[in-house]
Every structure is written in C-alpha cells, then in structure tokens.
Amino acid sequence: MLAWPGREQRIAAYTAAATVAAVVGSFITAAVTLYAASTGQRMRTLRTHPVQGPQFRRNWMSILSATLVVSGLCLLVIILDTTQRDPGGAHWLAEVANSPGGCAGYAAGVAVRQSHRWGRH
C-alpha cells in the first residue's frame, strides 16, 4: 500500500505512524503510573489477584512494548527509504510495523474492559 505514493508522502506516513505510536505510548505510561500509585481497594484487589493481577500487568507491558517497536521501526524506515521509488522495499517494514499497533489497540481495549469488570465487583 505504501509503495504507490512518492517518497515525500511515504515519509509523511512513516512520521505520522511513529508519532501516533509515541503518543499512545506516552498515554500508556501515564496510565501505568496512575495504576502503580493507586491505593484504592479496587486496584489493590486487582494487583493481588493471583490470575488477573499478573495478566493485567502483562497486558500493559505488551502494549507499551508494541508502541515502542512500532515507533522504532517507523523511524528506521524513514532512514532506509532514500529513493523516490523505494526499490529495496523499506515500505514493507513500515507496513509490518503497523500490524502490532492494531494488536496493541485491541489489547488496550481488553485491559480497559478488565479494569472496569473489576470495578463492578
């Protein structure tokens, strides 16, 4: 899909993807910080639950890791994509990099639903 536009449009797409992933990562960092600082009964129950606590932490860490990978790969593609036609296929790296972004978005939704589920009990 990114092979069709010219180099300037591809660079803009790579930059936008890296920026969005970095912004999402910063929001996740803020959420994890609030989670770690929370002392309420709900969060204490979630953190100490033998199954849901570790799963909740794994979800947040995988989301944060995915945003870091997406940003890093998109920035790498900006460096590698140096010609107008992209004969080396660097755009494929950007397209592959955006796949975890979709997975991370889904995982964020799952994590939020889990936290809301625990709040109702």
Side-chain angles (χ1 to χ4, degrees):
M1 193 162 98
L2 288 173
W4 298 324
R7 181 176 185 277
E8 294 304 317
Q9 288 179 321
R10 287 193 314 267
I11 296 297
Y14 307 150
T15 304
T19 302
V20 167
V23 168
V24 169
S26 67
F27 287 145
I28 291 167
T29 301
V32 169
T33 302
L34 290 173
Y35 160 73
S38 178
T39 58
Q41 179 61 35
R42 291 181 195 162
M43 291 310 287
R44 193 175 314 116
T45 302
L46 178 61
R47 281 195 290 257
T48 58
H49 191 276
V51 175
Q52 297 295 329
Q55 183 181 17
F56 192 70
R57 284 188 292 280
R58 275 194 309 271
N59 283 347
W60 284 116
M61 290 308 296
S62 68
I63 295 165
L64 190 56
S65 299
T67 58
L68 181 64
V69 167
V70 170
S71 290
L73 287 176
C74 286
L75 293 175
L76 179 64
V77 172
I78 291 172
I79 294 168
L80 295 176
D81 191 352
T82 58
T83 61
Q84 184 62 27
R85 301 292 297 160
D86 188 27
H91 67 277
W92 285 110
L93 185 58
E95 293 190 28
V96 168
N98 287 313
S99 299
C103 295
Y106 175 75
V110 170
V112 168
R113 280 192 300 277
Q114 285 179 348
S115 68
H116 285 292
R117 187 178 325 142
W118 278 97
R120 290 189 193 129
H121 291 284

